[in-house]
Short mmCIF file of all heavy atoms in Angstrom, two decimals:
data_model
loop_
_atom_site.label_atom_id
_atom_site.label_comp_id
_atom_site.label_asym_id
_atom_site.label_seq_id
_atom_site.Cartn_x
_atom_site.Cartn_y
_atom_site.Cartn_z
N ALA A 266 3.08 7.52 32.37
CA ALA A 266 3.54 8.24 31.12
C ALA A 266 3.00 9.66 31.12
O ALA A 266 3.67 10.54 30.65
CB ALA A 266 3.03 7.43 29.98
N GLU A 267 1.81 9.90 31.70
CA GLU A 267 1.29 11.25 31.63
C GLU A 267 2.14 12.21 32.41
O GLU A 267 2.08 13.44 32.19
CB GLU A 267 -0.09 11.32 32.24
CG GLU A 267 -1.11 10.43 31.46
CD GLU A 267 -1.35 9.14 32.17
OE1 GLU A 267 -2.20 9.09 33.09
OE2 GLU A 267 -0.70 8.18 31.81
N GLU A 268 2.86 11.72 33.44
CA GLU A 268 3.65 12.62 34.18
C GLU A 268 5.09 12.76 33.67
O GLU A 268 5.89 13.48 34.31
CB GLU A 268 3.73 12.09 35.64
CG GLU A 268 2.41 12.31 36.40
CD GLU A 268 2.40 11.70 37.74
OE1 GLU A 268 3.50 11.73 38.47
OE2 GLU A 268 1.38 11.25 38.22
N LEU A 269 5.41 12.10 32.58
CA LEU A 269 6.83 12.31 32.07
C LEU A 269 6.95 13.69 31.51
O LEU A 269 6.09 14.13 30.70
CB LEU A 269 7.05 11.29 30.95
CG LEU A 269 7.30 9.83 31.43
CD1 LEU A 269 7.36 8.87 30.22
CD2 LEU A 269 8.41 9.64 32.28
N PRO A 270 7.93 14.45 31.94
CA PRO A 270 8.08 15.84 31.54
C PRO A 270 8.66 15.93 30.12
O PRO A 270 9.79 16.39 29.95
CB PRO A 270 9.04 16.43 32.61
CG PRO A 270 9.86 15.33 33.04
CD PRO A 270 9.06 14.05 32.88
N PHE A 271 7.95 15.45 29.16
CA PHE A 271 8.39 15.48 27.81
C PHE A 271 8.03 16.82 27.12
O PHE A 271 7.00 17.36 27.35
CB PHE A 271 7.88 14.35 27.00
CG PHE A 271 8.49 13.00 27.28
CD1 PHE A 271 7.96 11.82 26.79
CD2 PHE A 271 9.60 12.89 28.14
CE1 PHE A 271 8.52 10.59 27.13
CE2 PHE A 271 10.18 11.68 28.49
CZ PHE A 271 9.64 10.54 27.88
N MET A 272 8.83 17.24 26.11
CA MET A 272 8.40 18.27 25.25
C MET A 272 8.94 17.89 23.83
O MET A 272 9.73 17.02 23.64
CB MET A 272 9.13 19.57 25.63
CG MET A 272 10.67 19.48 25.61
SD MET A 272 11.38 21.12 25.82
CE MET A 272 13.05 20.80 25.43
N LEU A 273 8.27 18.50 22.89
CA LEU A 273 8.56 18.16 21.49
C LEU A 273 9.63 19.18 20.91
O LEU A 273 9.47 20.42 21.04
CB LEU A 273 7.27 18.28 20.66
CG LEU A 273 6.53 16.94 20.47
CD1 LEU A 273 5.23 17.20 19.73
CD2 LEU A 273 7.37 15.92 19.77
N GLU A 274 10.60 18.60 20.30
CA GLU A 274 11.65 19.46 19.68
C GLU A 274 11.90 18.88 18.31
O GLU A 274 12.44 17.73 18.22
CB GLU A 274 12.88 19.47 20.59
CG GLU A 274 13.73 20.67 20.30
CD GLU A 274 15.02 20.63 21.28
OE1 GLU A 274 14.87 20.93 22.43
OE2 GLU A 274 16.04 20.12 20.81
N ASN A 275 11.53 19.54 17.20
CA ASN A 275 11.72 19.05 15.88
C ASN A 275 11.09 17.64 15.74
O ASN A 275 11.69 16.75 15.14
CB ASN A 275 13.19 18.94 15.49
CG ASN A 275 13.89 20.28 15.60
OD1 ASN A 275 13.25 21.33 15.38
ND2 ASN A 275 15.14 20.31 16.07
N GLY A 276 9.96 17.49 16.35
CA GLY A 276 9.22 16.21 16.16
C GLY A 276 9.71 15.13 17.07
O GLY A 276 9.20 14.01 17.09
N ARG A 277 10.79 15.37 17.88
CA ARG A 277 11.31 14.35 18.76
C ARG A 277 11.03 14.73 20.20
O ARG A 277 10.98 15.88 20.56
CB ARG A 277 12.86 14.35 18.59
CG ARG A 277 13.36 13.60 17.37
CD ARG A 277 13.39 12.18 17.51
NE ARG A 277 13.67 11.44 16.27
CZ ARG A 277 14.83 10.90 16.02
NH1 ARG A 277 15.87 11.12 16.73
NH2 ARG A 277 14.99 10.17 14.88
N LEU A 278 10.77 13.72 20.98
CA LEU A 278 10.47 13.99 22.40
C LEU A 278 11.82 14.12 23.18
O LEU A 278 12.66 13.43 23.03
CB LEU A 278 9.73 12.76 22.99
CG LEU A 278 8.29 12.56 22.55
CD1 LEU A 278 7.68 11.30 23.14
CD2 LEU A 278 7.39 13.69 23.03
N LYS A 279 11.78 15.13 23.97
CA LYS A 279 13.00 15.49 24.82
C LYS A 279 12.52 15.65 26.25
O LYS A 279 11.30 15.98 26.51
CB LYS A 279 13.61 16.79 24.31
CG LYS A 279 14.27 16.65 22.88
CD LYS A 279 15.53 15.90 22.98
CE LYS A 279 16.06 15.51 21.66
NZ LYS A 279 16.30 16.58 20.73
N ILE A 280 13.39 15.45 27.11
CA ILE A 280 13.08 15.63 28.50
C ILE A 280 13.12 17.24 28.90
O ILE A 280 14.18 17.80 28.60
CB ILE A 280 13.93 14.77 29.43
CG1 ILE A 280 13.52 13.35 29.19
CG2 ILE A 280 13.67 15.19 30.89
CD1 ILE A 280 14.35 12.37 29.86
N ASP A 281 12.02 17.66 29.39
CA ASP A 281 11.89 19.08 29.53
C ASP A 281 12.67 19.63 30.79
O ASP A 281 13.15 20.72 30.70
CB ASP A 281 10.37 19.44 29.74
CG ASP A 281 10.07 20.84 29.61
OD1 ASP A 281 10.94 21.56 29.10
OD2 ASP A 281 8.90 21.30 29.91
N SER A 282 12.75 18.88 31.80
CA SER A 282 13.46 19.32 33.03
C SER A 282 14.17 18.15 33.58
O SER A 282 14.05 16.98 33.27
CB SER A 282 12.45 19.85 34.04
OG SER A 282 11.77 18.73 34.59
N GLY A 283 15.14 18.46 34.45
CA GLY A 283 15.96 17.43 35.01
C GLY A 283 15.34 16.79 36.28
O GLY A 283 15.94 16.01 37.02
N LEU A 285 13.41 14.36 36.81
CA LEU A 285 12.89 13.02 36.83
C LEU A 285 13.51 12.12 37.87
O LEU A 285 14.66 12.25 38.19
CB LEU A 285 13.28 12.44 35.42
CG LEU A 285 12.21 12.62 34.36
CD1 LEU A 285 12.79 12.27 33.02
CD2 LEU A 285 10.98 11.67 34.59
N LEU B 337 -1.65 10.99 25.19
CA LEU B 337 -0.30 11.61 25.51
C LEU B 337 0.13 12.67 24.41
O LEU B 337 1.03 13.37 24.74
CB LEU B 337 0.73 10.48 25.61
CG LEU B 337 0.47 9.46 26.66
CD1 LEU B 337 1.59 8.39 26.66
CD2 LEU B 337 0.60 10.13 28.04
N LYS B 338 -0.52 12.67 23.31
CA LYS B 338 -0.18 13.61 22.29
C LYS B 338 1.16 13.47 21.81
O LYS B 338 1.90 14.48 21.43
CB LYS B 338 -0.48 15.02 22.67
CG LYS B 338 -1.96 15.26 23.00
CD LYS B 338 -2.29 16.69 23.38
CE LYS B 338 -3.80 16.90 23.50
NZ LYS B 338 -4.54 16.02 24.34
N TRP B 339 1.73 12.25 21.79
CA TRP B 339 3.07 12.05 21.22
C TRP B 339 2.94 11.83 19.70
O TRP B 339 1.91 11.24 19.28
CB TRP B 339 3.74 10.77 21.87
CG TRP B 339 4.02 10.98 23.33
CD1 TRP B 339 3.99 12.14 24.03
CD2 TRP B 339 4.50 9.94 24.26
NE1 TRP B 339 4.31 11.89 25.41
CE2 TRP B 339 4.62 10.55 25.46
CE3 TRP B 339 4.66 8.54 24.09
CZ2 TRP B 339 5.02 9.82 26.64
CZ3 TRP B 339 5.03 7.83 25.25
CH2 TRP B 339 5.21 8.44 26.47
N PRO B 340 4.02 12.11 18.98
CA PRO B 340 3.92 11.90 17.57
C PRO B 340 3.78 10.33 17.31
O PRO B 340 4.21 9.52 18.07
CB PRO B 340 5.32 12.37 17.04
CG PRO B 340 5.74 13.34 18.07
CD PRO B 340 5.21 12.80 19.39
N GLU B 342 5.41 8.43 15.53
CA GLU B 342 6.60 7.71 15.52
C GLU B 342 6.89 6.94 16.86
O GLU B 342 7.48 5.84 16.87
CB GLU B 342 7.77 8.74 15.36
CG GLU B 342 9.13 8.22 15.45
CD GLU B 342 10.18 9.36 15.60
OE1 GLU B 342 9.75 10.57 15.46
OE2 GLU B 342 11.34 9.02 15.80
N TYR B 343 6.28 7.45 17.94
CA TYR B 343 6.50 6.83 19.25
C TYR B 343 5.56 5.69 19.57
O TYR B 343 5.71 5.04 20.52
CB TYR B 343 6.47 7.89 20.38
CG TYR B 343 7.63 8.83 20.26
CD1 TYR B 343 7.59 10.06 19.60
CD2 TYR B 343 8.83 8.40 20.66
CE1 TYR B 343 8.65 10.82 19.46
CE2 TYR B 343 10.00 9.23 20.39
CZ TYR B 343 9.93 10.43 19.84
OH TYR B 343 10.98 11.25 19.64
N ASP B 360 19.13 10.88 19.65
CA ASP B 360 19.19 12.06 20.43
C ASP B 360 18.01 12.10 21.39
O ASP B 360 17.95 12.95 22.27
CB ASP B 360 19.34 13.34 19.45
CG ASP B 360 18.15 13.36 18.46
OD1 ASP B 360 17.34 12.40 18.53
OD2 ASP B 360 18.05 14.40 17.74
N ASP B 361 17.00 11.32 21.14
CA ASP B 361 15.92 11.24 22.09
C ASP B 361 16.01 10.01 23.02
O ASP B 361 14.99 9.56 23.53
CB ASP B 361 14.54 11.28 21.38
CG ASP B 361 14.35 10.23 20.37
OD1 ASP B 361 15.38 9.46 20.08
OD2 ASP B 361 13.26 10.08 19.76
N GLY B 362 17.19 9.50 23.05
CA GLY B 362 17.41 8.23 23.75
C GLY B 362 17.01 8.27 25.17
O GLY B 362 16.45 7.25 25.73
N GLN B 363 17.19 9.43 25.86
CA GLN B 363 16.85 9.49 27.24
C GLN B 363 15.28 9.37 27.42
O GLN B 363 14.84 8.71 28.36
CB GLN B 363 17.37 10.82 27.84
CG GLN B 363 17.80 10.73 29.33
CD GLN B 363 17.99 12.05 29.92
OE1 GLN B 363 18.11 13.12 29.28
NE2 GLN B 363 18.16 12.11 31.25
N ALA B 364 14.61 10.09 26.53
CA ALA B 364 13.19 10.05 26.57
C ALA B 364 12.66 8.62 26.36
O ALA B 364 11.79 8.14 27.00
CB ALA B 364 12.61 10.96 25.53
N LEU B 365 13.34 7.92 25.38
CA LEU B 365 12.94 6.55 25.06
C LEU B 365 13.14 5.62 26.28
O LEU B 365 12.42 4.72 26.48
CB LEU B 365 13.75 6.03 23.83
CG LEU B 365 13.52 6.74 22.48
CD1 LEU B 365 14.38 6.06 21.44
CD2 LEU B 365 12.07 6.65 22.12
N TYR B 367 13.07 6.44 29.49
CA TYR B 367 11.94 6.60 30.49
C TYR B 367 10.59 6.08 29.89
O TYR B 367 9.80 5.55 30.62
CB TYR B 367 11.80 8.11 30.85
CG TYR B 367 12.80 8.50 31.90
CD1 TYR B 367 14.03 9.13 31.60
CD2 TYR B 367 12.56 8.13 33.23
CE1 TYR B 367 14.89 9.38 32.55
CE2 TYR B 367 13.44 8.47 34.20
CZ TYR B 367 14.67 9.08 33.90
OH TYR B 367 15.58 9.35 34.78
N MET B 368 10.46 6.31 28.61
CA MET B 368 9.18 5.76 27.97
C MET B 368 9.09 4.28 28.10
O MET B 368 8.05 3.76 28.44
CB MET B 368 9.33 6.15 26.47
CG MET B 368 8.05 5.94 25.71
SD MET B 368 8.33 6.25 23.96
CE MET B 368 8.75 7.99 23.95
#
Side-chain angles (χ1 to χ4, degrees):
Chain A
E267 300 98 88
E268 289 178 31
L269 289 173
F271 285 173
M272 61 169 189
L273 267 176
E274 200 179 281
N275 303 325
R277 287 275 172 101
L278 288 174
K279 294 283 166 61
I280 290 172
D281 195 12
S282 72
L285 269 165
Chain B
L337 296 177
K338 298 184 171 47
W339 293 350
E342 179 189 351
Y343 292 98
D360 59 356
D361 56 355
Q363 212 191 350
L365 293 181
Y367 277 100
M368 192 185 294

